[in-house]
Amino acid sequence: MKSGAPFSATIIALIVLAGCTSEARWFKGNLHTHSYWSDGDDFPEMIVAWYQDSGYDFVALSDHNVIAEGDRWISVTNTPGVKTTLGRYVEHFGSDWVEQRVEAGDTLVRLKTFAEYREMFVGPTFLTLQSEEISDYFERKPIHVNATNIRQVIEPQGGGSVVQVMQNNIDAVLSQREETNQPMFPHVNHPNYRWAITAAELASVRGEKFFEVYNGHHLVMNDGDSTHAGTERIWDLVVTSRLLTGHPVMFGLAVDDAHNYHDLDRDRANPGRGWIMVRANALTADALIGAMEEGEFYASTGVVLEDISVNDDEIRIRIAAEPGLEYTTYLIGTRRASFGDAIYASPADFIATRGEDSVIGEVLAVIEGSQVVYGMDGTELYVRARVTSTRLMPNPVNEGEYERAWTQPVVPE
């Protein structure tokens, strides 16, 4: 088996259950979340505590163009909602922890730094990761790239096109990784937010392994519309075009992009909507990032998978079935035979000529039940799975959304 990528030739070996050590297990986490350090509506410690109390193993707070360091105070009078959240903050962490002062009749509250609040959650069962949402633009199009486990803030790099802006910010993250010798990675956020990033543009960047196939913000248009592809369609276009031009696949993340922690509503960016499950040997940044870069994770909005394995050209998925629920798995991929010996100069060239082709991202099989076995016959460029349950999401972005899970693309030999 191979994956079509220099790093991902080991994906299959890592995914196979027999290839994992006895300590390997699934860890639940969210990589895209906001606090009072930018445009979220709660204190960072309250947000981290919510994720910990809600059964997550790790979380990354990713505020816009900032990391939580330095001396910053917010105004109770001039910051919406702080009057309410401050009382909850003091109740939860105590008046000795919460620093306040009064200036000109206004109460100010100091925001704790990452170094400070991380210490509150240090332990073997929970991990906080420092992150930043590098928020850039090209001609009013918002181009956002998250940097997970970052060490120093990265200013938006700019550029002369959508692709250049993405590439410059991705390169800045990878450069910091090399300079600091710390595990970190970029991922491209919500491509359909204000229709900023097309499939051709996303497929053209280099050094990027991740993008958000599901984002829980109410304005990001995961499903597309009558004239724009949804993010799953974008994913299939990107993976197909990259493989046909000699480049690695791209992995799909599910994230919250949470900003609003108090008013739970479809018109708010609430927590708990999308997450990833990473199979790793330890709850450390090194282990999690290493596993993710080998594709050893899945994305979810509610469906839980017990196991994913690939062996002898068979993809096997075991769903953690809940009583009373039914599960349907769609095996999705593109077949090599659909393109013959065609050679494409670039992903953008491929998408320009074949972007509307119905053979890209076909449903190859539909399997009912909690045990999924799909035999690959070698004609597929790649195969990924989407598992859907009959339970509606409790707080969806769009009315009528069922809980789902997405596995990462597998490339047969």
Side-chain angles (χ1 to χ4, degrees):
M1 306 294 293
K2 66 179 181 178
S3 171
F7 66 89
S8 54
T10 58
I11 290 176
I12 305 306
L14 284 170
I15 289 180
V16 176
L17 185 61
C20 296
T21 69
S22 59
E23 293 84 16
R25 53 156 288 201
W26 295 108
F27 294 102
K28 180 178 180 179
N30 177 42
L31 297 178
H32 192 165
T33 301
H34 298 273
S35 75
Y36 278 144
W37 276 94
S38 62
D39 57 350
D41 67 4
D42 212 337
F43 295 92
E45 306 97 295
M46 294 292 286
I47 295 165
V48 174
W50 184 93
Y51 280 98
Q52 184 179 49
D53 294 344
S54 298
Y56 288 70
D57 300 294
F58 64 96
V59 68
L61 272 61
S62 53
D63 283 300
H64 296 279
N65 296 335
V66 68
I67 57 176
E69 64 180 10
D71 194 40
R72 178 173 295 188
W73 297 73
I74 60 171
S75 162
V76 171
T77 300
N78 299 320
T79 309
V82 174
K83 200 171 282 188
T84 301
T85 57
L86 177 57
R88 296 170 182 168
Y89 183 38
V90 172
E91 181 180 2
H92 194 284
F93 290 101
S95 56
D96 290 341
W97 173 259
V98 179
E99 296 181 52
Q100 303 180 57
R101 71 184 189 210
V102 177
E103 291 185 359
D106 182 20
T107 298
L108 304 178
V109 185
R110 189 173 77 83
L111 295 180
K112 299 293 186 177
T113 66
F114 174 78
E116 289 173 304
Y117 69 73
R118 176 183 56 184
E119 292 303 311
M120 300 192 70
F121 302 95
V122 167
T125 61
F126 194 80
L127 177 70
T128 55
L129 298 168
Q130 185 165 243
S131 186
E132 175 192 355
E133 183 170 12
I134 307 168
S135 303
D136 214 336
Y137 288 87
F138 176 73
E139 295 182 347
R140 295 190 174 183
K141 292 182 177 181
I143 314 298
H144 295 185
V145 173
N146 259 35
T148 297
N149 204 38
I150 196 172
R151 288 298 180 266
Q152 295 99 34
V153 69
I154 294 175
E155 298 297 330
Q157 302 293 296
S161 68
V162 169
V163 173
Q164 279 189 9
V165 172
M166 277 193 292
Q167 192 67 65
N168 290 343
N169 287 300
I170 289 164
D171 289 347
V173 179
L174 298 178
S175 177
Q176 185 177 127
R177 174 175 176 157
E178 184 176 353
E179 291 169 2
T180 62
N181 197 31
Q182 295 294 322
M184 66 182 71
F185 65 87
H187 84 249
V188 175
N189 297 341
H190 42 57
N192 279 349
Y193 178 46
R194 298 185 188 173
W195 313 117
I197 302 170
T198 66
E201 291 162 339
L202 181 59
S204 297
V205 295
R206 298 290 171 258
E208 179 57 90
K209 302 174 184 177
F210 308 96
F211 91 111
E212 294 174 355
V213 68
Y214 178 89
N215 179 300
H217 197 291
H218 56 291
L219 298 177
V220 301
M221 306 297 286
N222 294 314
D223 296 335
D225 66 7
S226 60
T227 60
H228 297 88
T231 49
E232 276 204 72
R233 177 63 177 171
I234 288 173
W235 196 8
D236 289 313
L237 288 166
V238 168
V239 172
T240 301
S241 63
R242 285 167 72 106
L243 289 176
L244 287 173
T245 52
H247 299 288
V249 299
M250 190 171 284
F251 301 132
L253 305 169
V255 301
D256 278 341
D257 197 357
H259 292 68
N260 311 119
Y261 302 92
H262 309 291
D263 298 325
L264 301 183
D265 189 87
R266 284 175 49 204
D267 293 329
R268 296 289 184 271
N270 295 148
R273 284 178 173 154
W275 57 88
I276 54 173
M277 299 293 295
V278 182
R279 185 156 56 188
N281 293 329
L283 185 58
T284 65
D286 290 50
L288 292 173
I289 292 172
M292 289 186 64
E293 291 190 324
E294 299 297 350
E296 182 66 354
F297 72 101
Y298 68 90
S300 181
T301 63
V303 171
V304 177
L305 306 181
E306 291 181 351
D307 187 40
I308 308 165
S309 65
V310 180
N311 194 17
D312 295 331
D313 296 326
E314 280 190 343
I315 298 175
R316 292 180 175 268
I317 301 171
R318 189 168 69 245
I319 302 164
E322 295 187 41
L325 298 183
E326 297 176 358
Y327 299 87
T328 302
T329 299
Y330 299 86
L331 284 304
I332 298 165
T334 299
R335 296 192 184 276
R336 301 173 190 271
S338 302
F339 305 97
D341 297 325
I343 297 175
Y344 300 93
S346 68
D349 173 53
F350 165 81
I351 292 174
T353 57
R354 300 295 295 265
E356 299 302 319
D357 204 319
S358 62
V359 301
I360 300 168
E362 289 184 87
V363 176
L364 305 173
V366 180
I367 299 174
E368 305 287 345
S370 61
Q371 304 290 329
V372 177
V373 179
Y374 176 79
M376 294 180 288
D377 60 15
T379 66
E380 305 95 344
L381 271 173
Y382 70 94
V383 182
R384 64 178 180 86
R386 179 182 70 241
V387 184
T388 302
S389 85
T390 53
R391 180 163 61 201
L392 291 167
M393 289 179 63
N395 180 25
V397 174
N398 299 314
E399 188 175 358
E401 279 191 80
Y402 289 92
E403 293 181 340
R404 291 168 288 176
W406 297 266
T407 68
Q408 303 308 321
V410 171
V411 179
E413 293 183 338

